[in-house]
Amino acid sequence: MNDSPGWASPGSAPSDGQETGIPRPSSPVDGSGPAGQWSPAQPPPGQWSPPSARGSGPGAPPPAPGWGGMPQGHGWGRPPTAAKPGVIPLRPLGVGEILDGAVSTMRTHWRTVLGISLTVSVIAEILIILVQRYLLPEQKSVDPNATGAEALRQASDSAQSQLINSGPTTLIAMFATLITTSVLTVVVSRSVLGRGVTLSEAWSEARPRILPLLGLTLLLSLMSAAIMAAGLLPGLLLGDGAGGLALTFLGFLAACAVVLWLMIRFILAAPALMLERQPVLAALRRSAKLVRGSWWRTFGILALTYLLVIVLTLIIAIPFGIVAVSLDSNGLSEFLNSSSTDFGWPFLIVTGIGEVIVSTLVYPFTAGVMALLYIDQRIRREALDLELARAAGVPGYETPRS
């Protein structure tokens, strides 16, 4: 155990086929059983008297719980209290505890968390506004009165123009997500141990992993694009007939299902790359191993997370959009014409402020959920809670002397 964000070297993870999640008992000290099975701190004399010593028969007081008034522990109907040095208890986590841990990290380390997310969000939004205003070509419009082949051609040109226009903003958002995810994952790993971290410390630890994280993101993006192309290609080769359109639609659905399955399978690759210092391909294998057998649970937690993100985005973006339209004399007409490149400065600035607020809150929340989901899976499979307790200095979890 060390103080690095990964808490343990990658080689310490159990290999396939090995039992995980169950700590092995120590060797016997007196031949009667494993060491540490009975606590050396026994209760004071007189509190371990059997129930018969306190009387029996009518009118006798009922026996106190736990033999002599001692509280019941593990194995007596009440689970043991888990250590909680930081934002989560050191045991397998529920869905609510993962979400609450992400929010608690934002609240406890708000200077570091909001400092990095706000800075990156402001820079990214300024770049997006400048690109939208000066660099992107005018989006091609669609004539609502067009019919037949002309309508299909205009719709295709409009979709192609929209895809080209969204490319630069998507790249900017991707880089912003990479930077915030890398730094905030370090913050979450420290918050689990109950330790604070400054922005400079988090950045110094995360900076060497940004390029590998970029490589991981590009690899997953190329993988998704290749799968989508393979699903759409057979239908596109058949042409514009009914059979080609049907095959294209079915191929699109099949490709989406495969991409979704792979993205959930590799969702923990980024935390493994950051916290275990894994290379890209090893991080993908690590994620697949941790998610194995828990795909639907992982999918459910992520679906709930992004549902909350969508709700938060709508709550913030709708009022700012209304204000932006009311301040910009051309805002409503341009909004209805779906031509974002012709929006006036008041519209772009007000909506940009709303986007900054959304990004400042969403970046740390999603990064916290990903990191805590990774930690939860390692606790369930590899008893990482014992290592975390030792790293946090929780009494009773000291490393045994050799």
Side-chain angles (χ1 to χ4, degrees):
M1 175 62 60
N2 52 37
D3 293 335
S4 64
W7 306 294
S9 60
S12 64
S15 58
D16 294 334
Q18 181 181 351
E19 293 184 4
T20 57
I22 305 176
R24 298 183 180 277
S26 306
S27 57
V29 294
D30 56 0
S32 60
Q37 186 165 348
W38 297 98
S39 173
Q42 299 296 333
Q47 294 194 7
W48 283 85
S49 56
S52 59
R54 293 191 297 268
S56 60
W67 287 75
M70 296 298 293
Q72 296 178 352
H74 182 56
W76 291 85
R78 181 184 301 173
T81 301
K84 189 178 179 181
V87 295
I88 59 169
L90 300 184
R91 55 170 171 75
L93 303 175
V95 177
E97 290 172 325
I98 292 177
L99 300 178
D100 180 71
V103 176
S104 297
T105 301
M106 297 170 58
R107 185 173 59 249
T108 304
H109 307 286
W110 63 271
R111 288 185 178 87
T112 303
V113 170
L114 297 184
I116 181 61
S117 60
L118 179 61
T119 302
V120 174
S121 299
V122 169
I123 296 175
E125 193 59 35
I126 291 176
L127 293 177
I128 289 174
I129 290 177
L130 294 177
V131 167
Q132 288 177 338
R133 189 64 179 175
Y134 296 112
L135 298 182
L136 295 182
E138 183 178 354
Q139 184 174 332
K140 296 182 179 181
S141 59
V142 178
D143 184 4
N145 298 323
T147 58
E150 180 63 21
L152 291 176
R153 186 190 64 80
Q154 292 185 9
S156 177
D157 292 343
S158 177
Q160 183 178 0
S161 175
Q162 186 174 4
L163 181 62
I164 294 175
N165 288 346
S166 64
T169 58
T170 301
L171 289 176
I172 294 173
M174 184 184 72
F175 280 105
T177 303
L178 283 173
I179 295 175
T180 53
T181 299
S182 60
V183 176
L184 294 174
T185 301
V186 175
V187 176
V188 174
S189 68
R190 295 289 188 89
S191 67
V192 170
L193 302 177
R195 298 174 183 172
V197 57
T198 63
L199 182 56
S200 60
E201 292 173 345
W203 171 247
S204 63
E205 290 190 14
R207 183 175 53 192
R209 308 303 299 167
I210 290 181
L211 286 181
L213 188 61
L214 175 61
L216 174 65
T217 303
L218 293 178
L219 179 60
L220 292 177
S221 300
L222 292 176
M223 187 185 305
S224 302
I227 294 173
M228 292 299 298
L232 296 175
L233 184 61
L236 295 177
L237 292 177
L238 288 180
D240 298 334
L245 292 177
L247 186 58
T248 301
F249 179 71
L250 293 177
F252 174 75
L253 292 181
C256 288
V258 175
V259 169
L260 176 63
W261 181 79
L262 285 177
M263 292 303 104
I264 299 299
R265 182 177 175 84
F266 296 139
I267 196 65
L268 302 182
L273 184 144
M274 290 297 304
L275 298 180
E276 297 183 24
R277 303 295 192 264
Q278 295 273 19
V280 173
L281 295 181
L284 292 174
R285 291 192 296 266
R286 189 80 168 103
S287 176
K289 179 180 177 181
L290 292 174
V291 175
R292 185 184 305 143
S294 302
W295 192 95
W296 284 107
R297 180 177 182 271
T298 305
F299 170 77
I301 294 175
L302 294 177
L304 178 59
T305 299
Y306 286 109
L307 177 61
L308 295 176
V309 168
I310 292 173
V311 172
L312 176 64
T313 302
L314 293 177
I315 291 175
I316 297 176
I318 290 178
F320 276 90
I322 295 174
V323 173
V325 169
S326 63
L327 291 178
D328 194 338
S329 58
N330 297 325
L332 182 59
S333 61
E334 299 297 343
F335 180 78
L336 295 177
N337 290 331
S338 300
S339 179
S340 60
T341 58
D342 292 333
F343 285 146
W345 280 110
F347 186 92
L348 293 176
I349 292 175
V350 174
T351 55
I353 294 174
E355 290 293 334
V356 167
I357 296 175
V358 171
S359 300
T360 302
L361 299 177
V362 167
Y363 283 150
F365 178 67
T366 54
V369 169
M370 298 298 180
L372 293 178
L373 185 58
Y374 159 83
I375 294 172
D376 173 61
Q377 287 300 109
R378 287 197 61 183
I379 289 176
R380 293 173 181 271
R381 293 179 177 270
E382 303 169 2
L384 182 66
D385 51 329
L386 303 180
E387 297 293 329
L388 294 176
R390 293 190 187 103
V394 177
Y397 289 88
E398 296 82 2
T399 302
R401 298 179 180 176
S402 57

